[in-house]
Amino acid sequence: MLIATLLPLLSRYSLGFDLVTGPDDTVTLTVIPRKPEGTTHKLEAGETRPISITATAQEIDAELARGANGALGQLIASRRNLADQLAEQRQAAEDARKAAADAAKAKPAPAAPKTTPASNAAKVAVPASPPADAKPEEPASLW
């Protein structure tokens, strides 16, 4: 029953298991999703978060017997939907990156518009020669 319940996760991840006994005949089952061999993408933190169930052995068996309708089955289905969404977003981001790179290669870089500093600044009349009444030993008057 355990393996049948975990098959949706096994299609995307390598799984590790940890079983620990506790007080009062309780058992903690921890399922640890890992990156499968041969994959290139990095797993997100939410994808690799361990799933833990603590209950008696009979309660865990009963929960696993519920299959997809049980809490573990619903959690696995939610994680699978999350993984599908992440894969779609990764693919969309990769497609957008490729499209932008192709567009940049196809379009030549626009030439920078030529602007002259004099055309943007206000023109000030500067006399070419000093006034006729200017004396070399005195500064020119503004009035």
Side-chain angles (χ1 to χ4, degrees):
M1 195 55 61
L2 176 65
I3 303 304
T5 303
L6 296 175
L7 274 177
L9 279 180
L10 279 171
S11 67
R12 296 194 187 275
Y13 309 103
S14 173
L15 299 176
F17 296 96
D18 188 27
L19 284 170
V20 178
T21 60
D24 301 327
D25 295 327
T26 59
V27 176
T28 299
L29 167 66
T30 304
V31 180
I32 307 159
R34 296 184 183 128
K35 180 179 172 182
E37 301 269 332
T39 59
T40 58
H41 75 276
K42 181 182 173 191
L43 295 178
E44 301 292 330
E47 290 181 272
T48 59
R49 175 173 248 150
I51 301 168
S52 292
I53 300 172
T54 301
T56 65
Q58 294 78 15
E59 291 170 335
I60 291 175
D61 286 343
E63 184 61 36
L64 293 176
R66 294 181 65 199
N69 295 327
L72 182 61
Q74 291 176 0
L75 180 60
I76 290 170
S78 296
R79 288 224 178 157
R80 187 173 188 169
N81 288 338
L82 173 64
D84 289 341
Q85 291 173 1
L86 288 170
E88 289 172 9
Q89 289 177 353
R90 282 186 193 111
Q91 187 61 44
E94 181 65 21
D95 292 345
R97 186 191 63 74
K98 285 180 182 177
D102 291 345
K105 288 178 186 176
K107 188 189 331 181
K114 294 182 180 180
T115 58
T116 57
S119 65
N120 293 339
K123 293 188 178 188
V124 178
V126 179
S129 61
D133 60 343
K135 297 179 183 171
E137 63 275 349
E138 294 178 8
S141 173
L142 298 175
W143 293 269

